Amino acid sequence: MEDVYSRDLPFGTLVTAMVTPFTEEGSVDFDAVARLAETLVSEGCDGLVVSGTTGETSTLEDQEKEDLFRVVAETVGGRAKVIAGTGTNHTAHSVEMAVRAARAGADGQLVVTPYYNKPTQAGVLAHFDAVAAATDVPIMIYDIPGRSGIEIHTETMLKLAERPHILALKDAKADFSAVTRVMANTELDIYAGDDGLIFPWMMAGAVGVVSVVAHVATQQFRALVDAASCGDLKTARRIHFELDPLVRAVMTHLPGAVSAKQILKMQGILGNTAVRLPLVEPDAVEMEPVLTDLAEAGWDFSRPTRQYSATTNTDESV
C-alpha cells in the first residue's frame, strides 16, 4: 500500500467538514469559527472543508461564505488545507464561488454534483469542466447521490480524472465496486465521504476521509487514518470498532450539523448550538438515542474538558 505521506497531498488526509457556528441571533460567529478551526487543526486535522453540507452551505449567503473561507485561511492557512465548498446546482453560481474561494485564499474547493436539476452525465461533465476552468484552485469532486439525486457514473468520473485541476474524489456513494474502478484506473486521491467506511476505503487505497464525526473525536480519527495509511490493519481495525458508536451518535439520528453542534457544546467547544432553518435544534426525545450511543462509547460529560473522548482500548488482540 502506498504511503500517502510520501507525497504532498493537496487536500490533506484527515479533513473535517466544519460546522458553521452562529450567534444566538443567527449571524455567523466568525470568532467561534476561528476557534473551532484552531482546535481541529491542533488536534490533528490537516484539512478543513468550509461551507460544505455540514457547514449549512445551503443557508449561507455568498459573502458569508467568502468571509468564512478567508477567516479559516487566515487562522490555519499553512498548517492545514482550507477547502472551500463552492458547488451549487447552478453552474454560473458555482463558477462565481470558485472565484471567491480563490480570492479568499482557499487551497482547494469541494464541488458537489449539481443537485435537484438531475442533469445527464454530459451535463455533469460540462458543469465540472466549467468550474475547473474558472480558477487554478484544485477541485475535490463530491459524489453523493443521496443528496444530489443522481450519481456520477464511473465512466464520467474516469473522464473527469483527466482534467488537470480535478485532483480528488470525496466518495459518499458507498459503491465499493465503483470506487475500486476509479482507484485502479486514475491518479485521483480518493476520500471516504462516509465516516463509517474509512477503514475499508483506506484499506483499498483511499488517502483519507472528509469527516463530520472527527469534530468530536479528532485524535481518534487521526490515529485511524495514520494506522490505515501505514497498513497497520490491527490498529486501524480496533479504532474503527471503537469509533462505531460515535459515528452512529453523530450520523444516524439527526442531521450531522445538528448533532455535531450539540456534542461540541457538551464538550465546551461551542458556546451554543444554533442552526439555521430549515434545520432546528432537537428536543430531549430526539437527543436520547444520540446520548445512548455516546454512553456506549464510554463518554463522560461530567468533566467539562476536551478529554472525555472515550478511553482508548490498548488491547490490540481484537
Side-chain angles (χ1 to χ4, degrees), residues 28 39 76 92-93 104 113 138 172 176 190 196 199 229 236 242 267 271 309 314:
V28 176
T39 296
V76 299
H93 189 195
T113 316
F176 194 71
I190 308 300
F199 177 65
S229 172
E242 290 175 357
Q267 292 176 320
S309 56
T314 56

Side-chain angles (χ1 to χ4, degrees), residues 92-111:
H93 189 195
S94 302
V95 166
E96 178 187 350
M97 293 313 302
V99 172
R100 285 176 176 260
R103 186 166 63 204
D107 299 297
Q109 50 183 323
L110 181 68
V111 185

Side-chain angles (χ1 to χ4, degrees), residues 21-22 24 29 32 35 261 264-266 268-274:
F22 298 117
E24 293 286 4
D29 186 341
R35 289 194 300 272
K261 284 183 174 182
L264 285 166
K265 186 175 188 296
M266 286 188 262
I269 302 301
L270 287 186
N272 66 70
T273 55

Side-chain angles (χ1 to χ4, degrees), residues 106-131:
D107 299 297
Q109 50 183 323
L110 181 68
V111 185
V112 70
T113 316
Y115 43 85
Y116 187 77
N117 307 38
K118 291 193 173 181
T120 63
Q121 291 297 298
V124 170
L125 194 66
H127 173 84
F128 284 114
D129 277 342
V131 180

Side-chain angles (χ1 to χ4, degrees), residues 201-214:
W201 258 230
M202 288 196 70
M203 288 296 104
V207 302
V209 60
V210 180
S211 171
V212 178
V213 189

